[in-house]
Amino acid sequence: MSEKYKPQFPRMAQLKTAADLGNYLTKNDIGLPFDETLLPSSESPFNRPIPLKSGQTIGNSLCILPMEGWDGTLDGRPTDFTRNRWKKFAISGAKLLFGCEAVAVCHSGKANPNQLVMNANTFPDFVELRQLVLDAHTEVFGKTDDLVIGLQLTHSGRFCKPKSHKAFESKILYSHPFLNSKFGMPADYPLLTDTDIDQIIEKYVEAAVLAQKAGFDFVDVKHCHGYLGHEFLSAVSRDGRYGGSFENRTRYLRNIVAGIREAAPGLGIGIRLSAFDMLPFKKGPTGAGIPEAADQYPFAFGGKPSGTELDLTETKELLALVESLGIQLVCITGGSPYYNPHLMRPALFPPQMVTCPRRPTARGETANRCDT
Ligand SMILES: Cc1cc2nc3c(=O)[nH]c(=O)nc-3n(C[C@H](O)[C@H](O)[C@H](O)COP(=O)(O)O)c2cc1C
């Protein structure tokens, strides 16, 4: 961080009491009313069950967002660190585990060498992971018939780092005016072909079939945080079947869903969506992040051409499409940790890094990490 820049807002963790938070909200004219004490669980609105069209019921309205720890083995299997995290998801009290963590559909699509992968070799590990969740949940809550467990399936697209934490092996859909150079790609870096995309879709379907066999209730077809699914939504300059029009940019989602419906009937499908996006940010003169300069920026899905304002017209179109595809589970997030992390995570520090913030891994070392 620049010596000059001092954050002008407190960390959430510094607001220790309800009164601290209340004072902060009042001082900053933020209308966010809240109860100062929690209601007993029998009266809590969080404790209401949510019936799904599939016939399943989510036992309450608490959800664990997917969260990876970059702690799998190099061949995509969980370690004790992974198992420990999943156990914590299980005993959290939430009855919806929205994907547990990002699991790549193929090795070349991993966001880091230690990301989990779902394939025939790793399948038994996922059977065990899910059983561990069921056992831990039962131990604390006595039953699992109201626990809904998803598996987030991902391909990291532009942000693939399958072999080394340092080296991108990007798979991109279009040449991006800022992101190509920011992540070390020349403007003419090769694009995934439509045939490559068809093959990735097959991998998604294969992974979903295995997820169903392993007992997961649904798979999350990840469309957020700048990864491949999300990049399709902004591929306005791409030619061919998967770019340009809204219809073409959503073909990837529609083809994956059709493939899963055919090969894994009955498996639930969800989508984690970056519902809005903005220009990439960079370090400004004071050390605080500023957006890249662009008169017209067409690559922010859910954003105006200014690149810094929202326009949710296409987002709503996508949500209507998702509904028409029979997808009931939608998890909304925004932006990407690789180029505008302040849109999604409670950020104390401004987005000023060239790649990603250095953060401790489960093993204690630091690495350039953009967990999503
Ligand atoms: C350590 C860490 C790991 C994460 N792993 C994932 C992941 O595997 N999949 C995912 O979709 N998001 C992941 N995220 C993003 C979070 O689920 C969540 O989106 C983020 O904390 C901000 O919340 P928001 O999206 O509601 O703004 C991760 C975040 C952190 C801090």
Short mmCIF file of all heavy atoms in Angstrom, two decimals, residues 15 17-30 34 36:
data_model
loop_
_atom_site.label_atom_id
_atom_site.label_comp_id
_atom_site.label_asym_id
_atom_site.label_seq_id
_atom_site.Cartn_x
_atom_site.Cartn_y
_atom_site.Cartn_z
N LEU A 15 -15.97 -2.35 14.80
CA LEU A 15 -17.28 -1.99 15.35
C LEU A 15 -17.72 -3.16 16.23
O LEU A 15 -18.34 -4.10 15.76
CB LEU A 15 -18.27 -1.72 14.21
CG LEU A 15 -17.81 -0.64 13.21
CD1 LEU A 15 -18.76 -0.57 12.03
CD2 LEU A 15 -17.69 0.72 13.87
N THR A 17 -19.71 -3.45 18.99
CA THR A 17 -21.04 -3.63 19.59
C THR A 17 -22.11 -3.11 18.63
O THR A 17 -21.82 -2.37 17.68
CB THR A 17 -21.16 -2.82 20.89
OG1 THR A 17 -21.04 -1.42 20.57
CG2 THR A 17 -20.08 -3.20 21.90
N ALA A 18 -23.36 -3.45 18.95
CA ALA A 18 -24.48 -2.96 18.14
C ALA A 18 -24.50 -1.43 18.18
O ALA A 18 -24.77 -0.78 17.16
CB ALA A 18 -25.79 -3.52 18.68
N ALA A 19 -24.16 -0.86 19.35
CA ALA A 19 -24.16 0.61 19.47
C ALA A 19 -23.09 1.21 18.56
O ALA A 19 -23.32 2.23 17.90
CB ALA A 19 -23.93 1.01 20.91
N ASP A 20 -21.89 0.58 18.50
CA ASP A 20 -20.83 1.08 17.61
C ASP A 20 -21.32 1.13 16.17
O ASP A 20 -21.13 2.10 15.46
CB ASP A 20 -19.59 0.15 17.65
CG ASP A 20 -18.85 0.23 18.96
OD1 ASP A 20 -19.10 1.19 19.72
OD2 ASP A 20 -18.02 -0.67 19.23
N LEU A 21 -21.96 0.04 15.78
CA LEU A 21 -22.45 -0.03 14.40
C LEU A 21 -23.54 1.02 14.17
O LEU A 21 -23.52 1.74 13.16
CB LEU A 21 -22.97 -1.45 14.09
CG LEU A 21 -23.59 -1.63 12.71
CD1 LEU A 21 -22.56 -1.36 11.59
CD2 LEU A 21 -24.12 -3.07 12.54
N GLY A 22 -24.46 1.12 15.14
CA GLY A 22 -25.55 2.09 15.02
C GLY A 22 -25.00 3.51 14.87
O GLY A 22 -25.45 4.27 14.00
N ASN A 23 -24.01 3.86 15.70
CA ASN A 23 -23.42 5.20 15.62
C ASN A 23 -22.76 5.44 14.26
O ASN A 23 -22.88 6.51 13.67
CB ASN A 23 -22.36 5.39 16.72
CG ASN A 23 -23.01 5.43 18.08
OD1 ASN A 23 -24.21 5.72 18.19
ND2 ASN A 23 -22.25 5.11 19.13
N TYR A 24 -22.07 4.43 13.80
CA TYR A 24 -21.39 4.56 12.51
C TYR A 24 -22.41 4.81 11.39
O TYR A 24 -22.22 5.69 10.53
CB TYR A 24 -20.57 3.30 12.22
CG TYR A 24 -19.87 3.35 10.89
CD1 TYR A 24 -18.73 4.14 10.71
CD2 TYR A 24 -20.35 2.63 9.80
CE1 TYR A 24 -18.09 4.21 9.47
CE2 TYR A 24 -19.72 2.70 8.57
CZ TYR A 24 -18.59 3.49 8.41
OH TYR A 24 -17.97 3.56 7.19
N LEU A 25 -23.51 4.05 11.42
CA LEU A 25 -24.53 4.19 10.37
C LEU A 25 -25.17 5.58 10.44
O LEU A 25 -25.36 6.23 9.41
CB LEU A 25 -25.61 3.10 10.51
CG LEU A 25 -25.12 1.65 10.30
CD1 LEU A 25 -26.26 0.67 10.58
CD2 LEU A 25 -24.58 1.46 8.89
N THR A 26 -25.47 6.03 11.67
CA THR A 26 -26.10 7.34 11.81
C THR A 26 -25.15 8.43 11.29
O THR A 26 -25.54 9.30 10.51
CB THR A 26 -26.41 7.63 13.30
OG1 THR A 26 -27.11 6.50 13.80
CG2 THR A 26 -27.25 8.88 13.48
N LYS A 27 -23.89 8.35 11.75
CA LYS A 27 -22.91 9.37 11.36
C LYS A 27 -22.75 9.47 9.84
O LYS A 27 -22.57 10.55 9.28
CB LYS A 27 -21.56 9.01 12.01
CG LYS A 27 -20.52 10.09 11.93
CD LYS A 27 -19.31 9.74 12.79
CE LYS A 27 -18.06 10.18 12.07
NZ LYS A 27 -16.93 9.32 12.31
N ASN A 28 -22.86 8.34 9.18
CA ASN A 28 -22.65 8.34 7.73
C ASN A 28 -23.95 8.34 6.94
O ASN A 28 -23.94 8.12 5.73
CB ASN A 28 -21.78 7.13 7.35
CG ASN A 28 -20.36 7.31 7.85
OD1 ASN A 28 -19.59 8.06 7.28
ND2 ASN A 28 -20.05 6.65 8.96
N ASP A 29 -25.05 8.57 7.67
CA ASP A 29 -26.34 8.70 7.01
C ASP A 29 -26.68 7.47 6.17
O ASP A 29 -27.10 7.57 5.02
CB ASP A 29 -26.31 9.96 6.13
CG ASP A 29 -27.73 10.47 5.88
OD1 ASP A 29 -28.61 10.04 6.63
OD2 ASP A 29 -27.92 11.26 4.94
N ILE A 30 -26.44 6.30 6.76
CA ILE A 30 -26.73 5.05 6.06
C ILE A 30 -27.98 4.43 6.68
O ILE A 30 -28.00 4.17 7.89
CB ILE A 30 -25.54 4.05 6.18
CG1 ILE A 30 -24.29 4.67 5.56
CG2 ILE A 30 -25.88 2.71 5.52
CD1 ILE A 30 -23.01 3.89 5.85
N PHE A 34 -31.43 -2.38 12.14
CA PHE A 34 -31.20 -3.76 12.59
C PHE A 34 -31.64 -3.91 14.04
O PHE A 34 -31.74 -2.92 14.78
CB PHE A 34 -29.72 -4.14 12.44
CG PHE A 34 -28.79 -3.32 13.28
CD1 PHE A 34 -28.43 -3.74 14.56
CD2 PHE A 34 -28.26 -2.12 12.81
CE1 PHE A 34 -27.56 -2.99 15.35
CE2 PHE A 34 -27.40 -1.35 13.59
CZ PHE A 34 -27.06 -1.79 14.86
N GLU A 36 -31.09 -4.91 17.86
CA GLU A 36 -29.87 -4.88 18.70
C GLU A 36 -29.61 -6.23 19.36
O GLU A 36 -28.49 -6.56 19.72
CB GLU A 36 -30.00 -3.79 19.76
CG GLU A 36 -30.04 -2.44 19.09
CD GLU A 36 -29.43 -1.34 19.93
OE1 GLU A 36 -29.04 -1.59 21.08
OE2 GLU A 36 -29.35 -0.22 19.41
#
